[in-house]
Amino acid sequence: MTSLDLAFAACGLLAVVAGLLAVTTRQVVHAALWLVVALLGVAGCLLVLGHELVALVLVLVYVGAVVVLVLFALMLTRAPIGPDLAHAAPVWRQAAAAVAGAATTALLLAALVPVAGSAVERREISNQAVATELFGTWVWPFEALSVLLLAALIAALAISRGRAGEDT
Amino acid sequence: MTLEMSWGLLLPALLPVAAMLLVLVVDAVAPRARLAAPVIGALGLGGGAATALPGLVGTGPRLTLCTPAPEGRCLWDGGPLTSTLQVAALLATLAVLALVSIHRAGVIDVVLLLASASGAAAVVASRDLGTWLVTLELATLPVIALVAWRDRRAAAHGALTLLTTSLVSFGLLVLGAALWVTGTGDPTLTGDSLATAWEVPEQRVLVSLATVVLVAGLAFKMSAVPFHAWTPTTLAAGPLPVSALLASASKVAAVGALIVVLTPYESVLGLSPGPHAVVAALVTLTVASMLVGTVMALRQTEVVRLLAWSTVAQAGWVILPLTALTAAGRRAAAVYVVVYAVAGLVAFAAVRAVHGPHVEDRRDLTAYQGLLRRDPVAGGALALALLVLAGLPPGVIGLVAKIVAIRPVVSAGLWPVAVVAVVAAVLGIAVYVRWFAVLIGEPGEDAPARQRSRRASVGVALVGSAVLVLASVLPQLLVGLVS
Amino acid sequence: MALILMLLVPGAVGLWLVTGGRGLDAHTARVVALVAATVGGLAAVVAAAMRPVVDRAWIPDLGVRWHFAIDGISAPLVVLTAVIGVLVVAHAWVEQPWTDTHLGLPRGSAATYLGALLLVETGALAAFAARDAVLFFIAFEVVLVPMWVLISRYGDPKSAAARADASARFILYTAVGSTLMLVGILLLVGQAGTADLDALPAAAGALGQGPQTLIAVLLTLGLAVKVPVFPLHTWLPAAHTTAPTAGSVLLAAVLLKLGTYGLVRLPLANVPDGFARIAPGLAIAGVVGILWGGLICLVERDLKRLIAFSSVAHMGFVVLGLASGSATGLQAALIGNIAHGVISALLFVIVGGLKHRWGSVDLAVVRPALREVSPRLGFALILGLAAGLGLPGLAGFWGEFLALVAAWEPAHHEGVLRTCAVIAAVGAALAAAYALRVARIVWVGDAVPDAATDDPVAGALDRIDTRTPDTRGVELAVLAVLVAAVVTIGVVPHTVLSVTAAAAEALVGGGR
Amino acid sequence: MIHLLGPYVVAALLVGLGVMGVLARRNAVLVLVGVELILSGSLVLLVAAGATAPSRWEASSVLPLFVITIAAAEVVVALAVILTAFRHRGSIDMDEAL
Amino acid sequence: MSALQVSYLLVLVPALAAVATLALRRWQGPATLVSVGAALVSLLLAVVGLVVAPVRGTDLVPLRGSYAVGGLDLPLQLGAGPATAAVAAVVALVAAAVLVFTRWYLAADDRLAVFAATVSLFTAAMMLVVHSRDLVLTVVGWEVMGWCSYLLIGHWSRKESARRAALKAFLVTRVADIGFVLGVVGLCAGAGSTGLDTVVAAWTSDEAPGSPALRSTLLVLVVIGVLGKSAQFPFQDWLPDAMEGPTPASALIHAATMVAAGTVVLAQLFEVLVLADGARWVLGLATAVTMVGAAVLALGQSDLKRLLAWSTVSQVAIMLSALATTTRDVGPDPALFHLWSHAIFKSLLFLTIGWLSVIAGSTLASALRGAGHGHPLARVAWLFGLLALAGAPFVVGGLSKEHVVVTAYEGAASAGGPGVVVLAALLVTVVLTAAYAVRAHLVVSAPVPNSPIPPLGPDTPGPNGGIGEKSTGHAGMPSAPVLASLAVLTVLTVVGGLVLLTGLFDVHGASVWWMVLTTLLIVIGGGLAWLARGSGDPRDQFVRTPRHRALADSGFGADTAYRALVARPVLGLARVVAFLDREVVDGYVRGAAASAGVAGWLAERGHRRESPSAGLGLLALGLLVAAGTAVLTWR
């Protein structure tokens, strides 16, 4: 158990607990807020693992943009501030979902734990190197990503503007 | 880092993007020019397909985006198989563009189609997880928008279904990718990267799990059972051309992506495909898809739903040869999906020619009573497509495709799966012959009136039929593409 | 050249008739079809005599070639198909299913009907001539859709449900068989490394016992549907009952032959050891079929169904011959095949004619004696029945007798096959019983009441058109050809046996 | 020094929670939340792979960036679709049939 | 002309005549002329054949090489020997007489030509059996005869009893033929050839292709077929029913062809038969039972034609019994000799009763009383025929029967086979035969004038189920050719025994003691019948109650037994099978269709809620399945 392990455990615990609350809370707005907490926890994990850039982007993009959008969407779809009884899933389904989630976790653990091994030295990741690779080797998918973003933008615009009545 | 890059190989994916940008620019400059967008779009798609053609005949490796030797890996493979799928996806999108019909196609339609096409063209060529993930989503995301952006309740519902499943599938893909990187330490989907991980049993398990998760994620896009639930809803609710796109170009892209994932296994598993997790997952998918899809299609009377369920069944047929995890199987899957895409497009085009653009029409089987007599062109094309799908001569190419699909499975010793395929094939014949019987019957009184603006649909149906006839006479033209 | 002509002319004309030529009036269509069938038939006869070979690449990646040739085993079948092809087209002058309106609905065009006939013929010819396993399968499948059209579209005009049921049964059932066969073929081709039927036996001979048996099981199961072998026969009666006369004739005389021919060509020739392993099962299925068909014929009321079941019984003998594994058995199967082709064709033409005249062929309906009201038709019927029961001097005898001899002295599994021979001989007596039952009811008019006045069915008798017109014209010609064939094969079996002898010897490795 | 067990466990738990969230929720927006959890679990996994050994082309850093971006794009489209659906159906209840 | 050529011609000429007659059937007169002419040509040929008959033991040279079907040789040869030449001659004679008679008898029939053609074909088939040196050809002739008998018996198809009799005749013989065909198949398959000489050589050699038990079994099978064709117990009942056919047909079937064919075939296979004790026992017991039973039944018939039928059964049993008892040294010729003599006198009897029935309008004994008055030739023919039947010394029948009796005695004496049983049966039969022969004579020559019974139409059965004869429309005086043929037959009946002088039949001399004994027995039998003659039908003295008469007329109820033991179970089984086929075998087809339907219904239920979350639910299912398979199968 090293200090890094401890730090990671703390962040991880935060992320997991917040995630649990995010998927179980009855109040939809709380769910979005708990997601923020969970994502912050994940960002912390990433930091502990040495990937500051990724952690930063995660916080920026997710917390800064995505969750805000989610909140907006919840508002626009008239989500209640209190517990959302209209969308409460039956208990059996929640139980089934829990079982499915647990099964997934178990499966992943069964595959991952054997390769975990003992403690290893954390590698310093230089943003320089990441940038070089990103704009060197990965330039092609990076450009494709831009096209994707453009397409998503147009798509979102088109959808939200709509086109009345006419059909292809 | 320097990348060796040959632009020629990238053009099939780049040209649609260029066309897309050009459409946007033209639209910004001259918003009145309504014809500009479709024409540019068609040129982009056609050009992309044309630039992929050399790959069909070329020999030798067509790799690009390679890092320097000795540890060099290539991110892009433009070989014959890839080129075939690219041409198929691009031309299928072109056909869908035609189905949208030139006058109605707005800028947004064209842009989204082009984006999707470029994604499809890119994903089949990609050999690394980054490109693969990005372009796969590029192929998918615009389609969701295409389903949704028509302002209708049913379309919105279909889009919601498609969206949620697609989101989850994306989550699975990312999870699979993460597992893959964890297992191999390598973001490329190549035999080399797999081979190193294969040495260590724990990593082997991890990699297998990664592939299973990736396959599951892709099964969404291919609408394979049990990841198919969006298919009937979305296809029936969305606009017909988009359904055709989902059944053709999207399916080609998904199969291409699946082939990319499975190719590495040829080097490690191909020789002895025993009870391996990947094989088991594929067998489950193919068996379930073939059976459930056909059985459900057997009960449909709404033709688009019937086609939707037949898509599910055909997804099983596409996956069938892949269960062998051999190069022959990979090629067979490509051949099959191309044949299916063409036949499916012809069927959708014929349906559109019969019913016109109005989804609210009663698209029931009874509307096809005696179509072959009333409307020999659309009826004939539809009949041919149905026979091809059923795999019955004179749709010889459908039969050849079935032979092609079963062959690798049998060679790999998985003949029980082939026997299941027999059952599915027979049920499939029942599905399509049921429709065919309606077609060749006598016209009833309550036949729908002939649609007026159907030139584009009929054209697509005819071109597709011509391809099918040609391929039936000379199957080698198609079968030989991928070898 | 002859081969190409034989396949191309009927095929192309048939395709044209069902697509472009649908608008043709009935007379033109018939003439066109007859010319095509005749040219194709002549070419087939020439090809059967000259034995040309066509061999060129078709799908190199699958190793599939356009490889057509005719050898001793296929030559009689090719000639049979050619003759039957001409006859069924000629029969369109007699029975015109496209004019059989029911409920006032027209039923498609003459051109489609004739085109479908020609396509079936083409498919059968191609299958008999194919020398490539995969090509054989494709040709085998070609007949499905046109035959389906014939049944579902031009079948019994009375009941649409029956047509739908029978045609669906036909296509699905046979598709099960053919697809299973495809799996077997692909397994065989994959293991042997070639699809060329000439090279396959040598290549497949080296396979081990396990693969051979598996391949043989798959192939035999698949082909047994087509033959049909008990208990896979239930599609046949429905199809025969519903199909128009020409369809029944084609079905019995040509399509069933595809099954036995396939059994000879694929499992027997290529995986002999595997086939020998499952031969007892096949033989048992065959003799059960003999008894089964014979017994049902004793109580069956519908004459067309009855003849269909008798086909099951006759094919049982063919299967028994094949299962014996000896050259004698193979020869027996081949001549039995041909004989059944002409006999059942003859019977179906007659019964189709009767159905046309009477409206139904229910044996429970009282009708005047055929020998009284239409002697020529009656003569043909009694001859057909006699041939069907295996009367020596007519076509049916040789196949049955030789099959019995072969089963008595088989190449393997002597105990099982001898038992089968005994049971098959009992089945031959059943054949006599049902043939005479038909003769008694139809030919000599058993049910004619002596005094019509006090008979409850007298009312029914009045409604029946008792003036059954005798056969004449084209129908007479068709019958005459078939009768001549039945007698010729019966009196001079060597016309067939000598053609098949060398090939049969070669197939089973030179005698017992 | 760090144990890799930690990241693996966290990733597995997050993915499991995400699956649970996706399955248990009827509100379409909250399904998104579940998906985000699956994605973040996968990110942890990806990053952990690169934290100890150099991955080829820094994939363990680059791929998370890609994933985050794609996810953002998806969310944009998803929310648009959800809003459209809400406009037409009056609810975003996933259990509501057409 | 060699004997071989004669034999080929003897087969071909009637066969071609049949085809020609059939082709000319529109013109009845010329058509029948063709067949009669052909029959006369055959007769001529047969006489030539007698002259050129090869010396015993000469090998026959095949005309051409043999065919091979797989491992089976098919020589398909014909051949001739002294005995076959004699049999062929009598067949040709009877056929010619029958055809001549037919032209007169059926002159008014609209299907006369077809009948004549069938008779010609029948003759050809019998000639084939007689001359066959190949078992397949034997089977061919054998079955064709069966078919022709079906056609001939059923000739008057407007009559229900004729239809039924034809069906019965064919079916009963065909059932027995199961055995015949199987036996032949076994013999041929074992020998690898169908050639008679090869088969005999193979199965009599030391290295026979099968065990003695197998050989015996195969011959038992052949014997079963022979029993069927020759109407022996338990297949006897079809023959009396076959009297429903026109009388010429009966004459043909009874005298020279069908029922006698079994004797010919067994004679051909004699070398093997003597080695097969089982077969000899079966044959001997069956014939012993048959000859006595049939004679008793003949005595009790109310219908004289049926009486003749039963007498045929009995006489054929005598022929066959000779084969069962004869030793290797004696050979089959006593049986063939009896065949020869029986053919002559039985055809004479049948043709005479045909003539008489035309006069009387029926064949019932009550109708025929005194029918011989006014037709001396008929009476003479009838008398001599019956004499021969009874076995009076020196007429042809007496001579041949004498040889059979001696053969049986020798067989019994050499202590092998069923000789004793057969001998006892023979002696009983001699008595009974004499009795019914005397009875038949008494009926016809009774002094009571013929009571005018109106001629019966063909479609209405006579009283008591008797046989209605066809009204020919003429006064009952046959044409000159018919009279001539009757005269020839009568003469031959008297002097036919002279054939022994030609050496065609290889028979041992008869014993004087046995001749005396049988004569005594004949006198006893005939005397009893004469004493019991009474005022009406002498039968009444033996069979007093109507119940017994009915029993006799129904042949001890064999028909009922056939129905109960064979027909009904088979039909019942057929119904069961039809049911099974419909409901069980087809069940899996419909089951498959139904299960596809049910699966579709279930799947549709599973997809009924097309809500977005349903898809996610399926996803969970899929994930669990994938996880399960992954865990179970990864390696």
Side-chain angles (χ1 to χ4, degrees), chain E residues 136-349:
Chain E
V136 169
L137 289 182
T138 307
V139 171
V140 171
W142 185 264
E143 297 282 338
V144 171
M145 271 197 287
W147 182 251
C148 290
S149 74
Y150 167 76
L151 295 176
L152 290 179
I153 296 168
H155 180 72
W156 283 326
S157 61
R158 296 172 190 120
K159 207 165 67 168
E160 159 65 19
S161 56
R163 295 196 293 261
R164 197 180 126 59
L167 185 72
K168 182 170 167 182
F170 192 76
L171 283 188
V172 170
T173 53
R174 181 80 181 191
V175 168
D177 283 349
I178 297 173
F180 189 76
V181 171
L182 271 179
V184 168
V185 162
L187 290 173
C188 294
S193 164
T194 59
L196 184 63
D197 304 307
T198 323
V199 168
V200 169
W203 285 94
T204 50
S205 74
D206 294 334
E207 294 119 27
S211 62
L214 179 64
R215 180 172 60 196
S216 203
T217 313
L218 289 176
L219 277 170
V220 166
L221 288 171
V222 173
V223 163
I224 287 174
V226 168
L227 294 181
K229 212 62 152 192
S230 303
Q232 301 296 295
F233 181 81
F235 304 105
Q236 77 285 4
D237 201 55
W238 66 266
L239 191 62
D241 281 8
M243 292 300 107
E244 296 297 337
T247 303
S250 307
L252 194 66
I253 293 171
H254 287 242
T257 54
M258 184 142 157
V259 293
T263 313
V264 174
V265 171
L266 284 185
Q268 286 170 347
L269 287 170
F270 178 75
E271 296 286 319
V272 194
L273 180 67
V274 287
L275 297 175
D277 277 343
R280 273 153 63 92
W281 269 103
V282 170
L283 187 63
L285 290 178
T287 50
V289 170
T290 313
M291 68 176 84
V292 176
V296 169
L297 284 169
L299 198 54
Q301 293 301 306
S302 60
D303 185 313
L304 283 195
K305 207 173 158 191
R306 287 178 76 95
L307 180 148
L308 288 181
W310 282 115
S311 84
T312 306
V313 175
S314 183
Q315 294 297 317
V316 173
I318 292 173
M319 285 174 219
L320 290 171
S321 73
L323 287 170
T325 55
T326 183
T327 56
R328 188 165 208 158
D329 305 328
V330 177
D333 281 16
L336 289 175
F337 181 40
H338 193 57
L339 190 165
W340 199 80
S341 68
H342 176 253
I344 293 171
F345 71 72
K346 192 48 71 66
S347 57
L348 176 63
L349 283 171

Side-chain angles (χ1 to χ4, degrees), chain B residues 71 137 151 157 167 186, chain D residues 32 42 56 74 88-89 96:
Chain B
E71 277 274 294
E137 287 312 306
D151 230 10
H157 183 81
L167 281 177
D186 193 333
Chain D
L32 266 182
S42 308
R56 184 180 290 271
E74 292 235 334
H88 287 287
R89 306 161 86 225
E96 195 172 287

Side-chain angles (χ1 to χ4, degrees), chain C residues 3-372:
Chain C
L3 263 176
I4 295 171
L5 218 59
M6 148 185 130
L7 296 174
L8 202 63
V9 172
V13 174
L15 262 181
W16 178 69
L17 282 176
V18 298
T19 53
R22 276 184 307 160
L24 285 185
D25 68 293
H27 188 72
T28 322
R30 278 188 300 203
V31 172
V32 168
L34 189 62
V35 169
T38 313
V39 172
L42 286 177
V45 173
V46 171
M50 309 279 295
R51 311 276 171 90
V53 177
V54 173
D55 188 4
R56 60 190 53 192
W58 187 38
I59 319 178
D61 284 332
L62 293 180
V64 180
R65 308 178 62 74
W66 279 108
H67 189 178
F68 291 109
I70 296 178
D71 67 356
I73 291 175
S74 49
L77 290 164
V78 166
V79 173
L80 173 74
T81 310
V83 172
I84 296 287
V86 175
L87 292 184
V88 291
V89 172
H91 198 259
W93 267 271
V94 182
E95 189 181 297
Q96 301 167 354
W98 61 91
T99 59
D100 279 346
T101 54
H102 189 65
L103 302 174
L105 286 174
R107 311 207 305 147
S109 66
T112 312
Y113 173 75
L114 292 160
L117 290 179
L118 287 177
L119 287 178
V120 172
E121 188 199 342
T122 313
L125 285 174
F128 289 136
R131 300 295 300 157
D132 182 292
V134 178
L135 186 63
F136 171 77
F137 166 75
I138 291 175
F140 194 87
E141 294 278 89
V142 165
V143 299
L144 284 184
V145 171
M147 195 66 218
W148 176 84
V149 169
L150 283 178
I151 298 176
S152 74
R153 205 78 177 86
Y154 299 98
D156 192 350
K158 289 207 187 62
S159 163
R163 287 205 307 270
D165 176 70
S167 55
R169 250 169 208 258
F170 166 75
I171 197 165
L172 296 182
Y173 225 131
T174 33
V176 172
S178 57
T179 321
L180 269 180
M181 175 179 86
L182 171 64
V183 175
I185 288 178
L186 291 179
L187 201 55
L188 173 67
V189 170
Q191 303 254 344
T194 173
D196 190 344
L197 285 173
D198 294 329
L200 256 179
L207 293 183
Q209 184 69 257
Q212 281 223 3
T213 312
L214 178 63
I215 292 169
V217 166
L218 286 170
L219 289 175
T220 309
L221 258 185
L223 287 159
V225 171
K226 196 84 174 188
V227 172
V229 178
F230 175 88
L232 305 172
H233 63 273
T234 53
W235 61 271
L236 186 70
H240 270 319
T241 318
T242 315
T245 302
S248 288
V249 170
L250 274 180
L251 200 56
V254 177
L255 294 203
L256 303 195
K257 308 298 160 282
L258 280 176
T260 37
Y261 174 76
L263 280 178
V264 174
R265 250 322 163 224
L266 294 171
L268 183 66
N270 296 319
V271 282
D273 294 349
F275 189 70
R277 269 197 149 187
I278 59 170
L282 196 60
I284 290 169
V287 291
V288 171
I290 295 173
L291 291 188
W292 197 265
L295 283 171
I296 289 177
C297 285
L298 288 179
V299 291
E300 178 57 57
R301 279 178 48 172
D302 186 295
L303 195 47
K304 277 189 121 179
R305 271 181 82 83
L306 192 149
I307 295 173
F309 275 114
S310 81
S311 282
V312 175
H314 288 147
M315 296 321 270
F317 276 102
V318 174
V319 168
L320 182 63
L322 284 181
S324 74
S326 65
T328 313
L330 185 53
Q331 290 264 62
L334 292 172
I335 191 171
N337 226 1
I338 301 288
H340 173 256
V342 287
I343 295 169
S344 58
L346 174 63
L347 286 174
F348 273 118
V349 170
I350 296 166
V351 174
L354 291 179
K355 191 165 184 173
H356 200 64
R357 289 170 171 85
W358 289 343
S360 92
V361 281
D362 189 346
L363 290 179
V365 176
V366 177
R367 294 202 177 84
L370 201 60
R371 77 183 290 187
E372 309 279 352

Side-chain angles (χ1 to χ4, degrees), chain B residues 15-16 18-24 26-27 30 32-48 90 93-111 113-114:
Chain B
L15 278 182
M20 167 184 159
L21 295 175
L22 191 59
V23 166
L24 287 173
V26 169
D27 186 51
R32 299 279 182 89
R34 297 203 54 173
L35 267 181
V39 169
I40 296 170
L43 285 177
L45 292 168
L90 290 171
T93 316
L94 184 60
V96 171
L97 183 62
L99 279 186
V100 173
S101 97
I102 303 296
H103 310 292
R104 291 163 179 274
V107 175
I108 303 221
D109 286 311
V110 177
V111 167
L113 280 176
L114 285 170

